[in-house]
Amino acid sequence: MSTERITHLIGGAPWTGVSERTSKVYNPATGEVTGELDLASAATVDEVVKVAHDASKAWAQTSLSKRTQVLFAFRELVNQRKEQIAALITAEHGKVLSDAVGEVTRGLEVIEFACGIPHLLKGGFSEGVSTKVDVYSIRQPLGVCAVISPFNFPAMVPMWFVPIAVACGNSVVIKPSEKDPSAANAMAELWKEAGLPDGVVNVVHGDKEAVDRLLEHPDIKSVSFVGSTPIAKYVYENGTKNGKRVQALGGAKNHMVVLPDADLDLAADAAVNAGFGSAGERCMAISALVAVEPIADELVGKIKERMATLKTGDGTRGCDMGPLVTGPHRDKVTGYVAAGVESGAELVVDGRDGEFDGAADGFWLGPTLFDKVTPEMSIYTDEIFGPVLSVVRLPSYDAALDLVNSNPYGNGTAIFTNDGGAARRFQNEVEVGMVGINVPIPVPMAYYSFGGWKNSLFGDTHAHGMEGVHFFTRGKVVTSRWLDPSHGGLNLGFPTHD
Ligand code: NAD
């Protein structure tokens, strides 16, 4: 099978240089190599940042009406090409097609939010703060913004940031995951088709070398990173050390607490959907189910029943769950299953024994369920990022809350209960950034902001919503007085109102 060369998109055109280093892109459902990806050197990053920097000047001066027209056109194109983008995602990531379409749809919401940029950028105005003196505030673009994204949402995560950065008048350099790079290129081509001037959105592919150069380049003004916690911390520390604005979203261990009064059928559906959707490769996946006794036996039984109906296979064949993203990642997750057994957890469903509707060399692992997991086991402590759901049995709401709050991650959590008072207490007491009440994957809509607490986010700004608009702009306050001969004169005191 022939492999496609995948390269950077700089100033609206594919890069024409010769790369010293490349990496392989796989179709996870077949195990075949489908692409050879150019990995940028520091010099190539410099090339792309220069193009972005040059383009940023005119774009920052482009009227809000013109910018909005481009955003509306981009929204239409992404909506029309949803299926094609989804097919690219499935071919490189492995998630099933319907889930890939869902990813693009959630990204579209952010474009729609950014279409309202004239309203979102309105400043304040105070007339007559002092005699004939007015004060107003404006927000201006930063310049060139870097967006570094993970493999698990190759279209949606860049869309959390890029439409807002562009709407605010910035240029962008996207550095996608090297595991599934094609969706970012396809989206960049749609920006061009939508009428965005060349150089405002660029894609540079690469690994640590490219990321390190983006973190130190003087013309990169902000870094929006999403990925695992150790790399998020590294990006935050190095980016801020170099004077950049950084929002670095990291890993997760999301708990779903089920109280004894919950609707157990609803809870079992939610646990299966949120535990195994996208093969557990979601930062908002549920990986720890906390069953508050005495309902654990019944709940585990219901989850097991539902798991028996799931079909794992090639994402293009109408299955429920696809393969894992790469062979090494599948092996790492399988290693956690072995470690779970070794540490004494009860393996209720073993995904290693599954039947898979796909090629023999695909990166397969079926849905896996552990019961009687305890907090010191590695299947509980680590972010596995695979289709492995661990049930922890606890005696009370207080013990469940303690467990969630003691966890170093704080991305998402959910509580299942029919008791409004308990739900309200949980939303108030839990130390997690995104909370679901009878909703297992509480990903906020685009007009709210997405982000976790503790080791799930470094920096103080979450993604999209008004926090996104603030992140991609700098505030300025203007105090103005138009000449009035009656108001002159010397006064060396600190200005006060008169
Ligand atoms: P990753 O950390 O391996 O990679 C993320 C990005 O960092 C990629 O672009 C990659 O090329 C780059 N990178 C990798 N190693 C690097 C290094 N040593 N130095 C500099 N850059 C490096 O993450 P991943 O495996 O692609 O994605 C899965 C992780 O992302 C999970 O931990 C998941 O929880 C997290 N995630 C978090 C959120 C969130 O909103 N908090 C959303 C999606 C994914």
Side-chain angles (χ1 to χ4, degrees):
M1 186 179 166
S2 67
T3 61
E4 186 199 352
R5 178 187 174 216
I6 305 166
T7 196
H8 325 295
L9 276 179
I10 305 182
W15 186 66
T16 51
V18 177
S19 196
E20 280 170 20
R21 295 186 307 125
T22 61
S23 69
K24 291 182 176 15
V25 177
Y26 293 86
N27 180 336
T30 64
E32 287 169 339
V33 176
T34 54
E36 194 75 29
L37 177 73
D38 287 343
L39 298 178
S41 63
T44 309
V45 172
D46 288 355
E47 206 181 310
V48 64
V49 175
K50 180 173 185 331
V51 169
H53 185 249
D54 290 347
S56 69
K57 293 176 191 147
W59 183 243
Q61 297 302 327
T62 302
S63 71
L64 283 170
S65 312
K66 177 69 193 153
R67 284 191 228 157
T68 311
Q69 283 166 20
V70 173
L71 281 154
F72 270 91
F74 181 61
R75 190 263 170 208
E76 288 308 292
L77 287 168
V78 173
N79 197 35
Q80 283 161 18
R81 314 276 167 83
K82 241 199 287 216
E83 313 283 336
Q84 286 103 307
I85 298 166
L88 287 174
I89 297 171
T90 296
E92 293 181 351
H93 174 286
K95 65 176 73 174
V96 300
L97 266 177
S98 54
D99 195 36
V101 171
E103 159 175 1
V104 181
T105 305
R106 293 304 308 259
L108 265 169
E109 289 169 10
V110 184
I111 309 173
E112 287 161 1
F113 171 73
C115 285
I117 198 68
H119 179 71
L120 299 169
L121 279 183
K122 279 195 307 203
F125 188 97
S126 302
E127 186 189 34
V129 296
S130 180
T131 307
K132 300 215 165 98
V133 175
D134 304 325
V135 173
Y136 47 98
S137 63
I138 51 184
R139 299 204 68 87
Q140 297 185 318
L142 306 177
V144 186
C145 304
V147 173
I148 302 167
S149 58
F151 81 83
N152 67 319
F153 284 110
M156 183 185 78
V157 164
M159 280 196 275
W160 280 353
F161 308 105
V162 179
I164 299 176
V166 168
C168 290
N170 300 286
S171 283
V172 180
V173 174
I174 307 167
K175 206 303 285 168
S177 166
E178 55 275 50
K179 294 180 184 133
D180 45 13
S182 295
N185 280 15
M187 306 281 291
E189 280 162 10
L190 295 187
W191 275 114
K192 184 179 171 78
E193 206 176 322
L196 188 72
D198 289 344
V200 177
V201 167
N202 309 274
V203 183
V204 69
H205 295 286
D207 52 12
K208 180 170 168 44
E209 182 174 346
V211 171
D212 282 344
R213 184 59 189 147
L214 287 168
L215 294 178
E216 68 186 19
H217 196 297
D219 285 335
I220 292 289
K221 299 301 176 198
S222 74
V223 178
S224 301
F225 172 91
V226 181
S228 57
T229 288
I231 313 291
K233 195 160 183 283
Y234 171 84
V235 164
Y236 180 74
E237 286 171 357
N238 286 282
T240 51
K241 190 176 78 192
N242 291 328
K244 299 177 197 327
R245 221 171 246 218
V246 182
Q247 48 182 179
L249 285 69
K253 191 81 192 179
N254 303 315
H255 298 69
M256 169 173 158
V257 175
V258 184
L259 297 188
D261 71 323
D263 178 329
L264 294 190
D265 286 302
L266 178 76
D269 286 346
V272 171
N273 296 340
F276 306 118
S278 197
E281 292 170 326
R282 288 182 184 142
C283 60
M284 291 291 274
I286 292 296
S287 52
L289 192 154
V290 185
V292 176
E293 293 290 30
I295 45 106
D297 281 343
E298 193 183 346
L299 183 59
V300 169
K302 286 179 184 290
I303 292 173
K304 190 177 168 193
E305 255 169 46
R306 285 159 172 77
M307 288 174 70
T309 68
L310 296 180
K311 259 177 62 188
T312 302
D314 191 317
T316 61
R317 297 188 192 172
C319 297
D320 300 296
M321 195 183 99
L324 291 175
V325 68
T326 59
H329 185 57
R330 188 266 320 272
D331 296 344
K332 185 175 159 199
V333 177
T334 309
Y336 274 111
V337 178
V341 173
E342 189 133 314
S343 60
E346 188 178 313
L347 185 56
V348 181
V349 180
D350 186 349
R352 297 170 298 184
D353 295 341
E355 281 180 20
F356 308 111
D357 181 8
D361 291 335
F363 308 137
W364 305 115
L365 176 66
T368 298
L369 180 65
F370 277 109
D371 191 8
K372 300 183 182 151
V373 174
T374 52
E376 72 290 347
M377 295 177 180
S378 65
I379 50 172
Y380 174 77
T381 55
D382 295 5
E383 181 185 37
I384 300 176
F385 223 56
V388 180
L389 181 62
S390 295
V391 177
V392 181
R393 297 174 172 228
L394 288 177
S396 63
Y397 165 87
D398 287 328
L401 180 74
D402 267 0
L403 184 77
V404 181
N405 284 351
S406 315
N407 197 280
Y409 295 107
N411 211 40
T413 189
I415 188 163
F416 278 69
T417 179
N418 281 320
D419 180 339
R424 193 171 182 283
R425 228 185 113 182
F426 186 72
Q427 88 186 17
N428 176 261
E429 294 175 340
V430 76
E431 291 167 14
V432 171
M434 293 171 283
V435 181
I437 297 175
N438 298 317
V439 172
I441 307 183
V443 174
M445 297 298 286
Y447 35 93
Y448 286 84
S449 297
F450 181 107
W453 286 14
K454 303 194 274 187
N455 283 355
S456 295
L457 188 140
F458 300 90
D460 56 7
T461 311
H462 293 195
H464 60 66
M466 281 315 289
E467 294 196 39
V469 175
H470 274 244
F471 184 79
F472 288 115
T473 51
R474 285 191 287 190
K476 195 180 260 180
V477 180
V478 181
T479 305
S480 93
R481 180 179 69 190
W482 288 100
L483 278 185
D484 178 343
S486 69
H487 201 76
L490 289 177
N491 181 353
L492 269 57
F494 198 62
T496 52
H497 349 282
D498 56 5

